[in-house]
Amino acid sequence: MQQAQLDNYKKLGLNIAYYRKLHGMSQNQLAEKVNISRTHMSRIETADCAVSLDVVFSICTALDVSPSKLFDFRE
């Protein structure tokens, strides 16, 4: 992950956590639906790692939200 994009990864992670909680899901439940480990899901939400678009799109499907919702970064 490029350091210059760290803020965007943090915002993406916060949005994923927001919609996950809105759906009443735990990190483990979402991770199972996306076919990744709970640890990886945690690292995505805390911007501790980069995330591929494939995983982002899978998260969108699991949360029934459009990609634009996850990338709607509020200031």
Side-chain angles (χ1 to χ4, degrees):
M1 160 186 348
Q2 294 180 9
Q3 189 65 25
Q5 297 302 325
L6 183 58
D7 283 343
N8 288 331
Y9 277 98
K10 287 179 181 179
K11 291 172 187 173
L12 176 63
L14 287 172
N15 282 349
I16 291 169
Y18 171 81
Y19 285 106
R20 174 180 58 76
K21 291 173 185 176
L22 192 66
H23 283 82
M25 297 173 78
S26 68
Q27 283 183 343
N28 195 53
Q29 290 169 319
L30 180 55
E32 286 179 5
K33 286 183 176 250
V34 178
N35 201 29
I36 61 174
S37 70
R38 192 221 39 95
T39 303
H40 190 188
M41 182 58 64
S42 175
R43 293 183 70 215
I44 291 168
E45 288 186 3
T46 60
D48 192 38
C49 70
V51 58
S52 71
L53 283 176
D54 287 341
V55 172
V56 170
F57 293 146
S58 293
I59 290 170
C60 289
T61 300
L63 294 176
D64 193 30
V65 298
S66 66
S68 64
K69 293 278 189 185
L70 293 186
F71 287 100
D72 183 14
F73 300 153
R74 291 171 177 79
E75 299 300 320

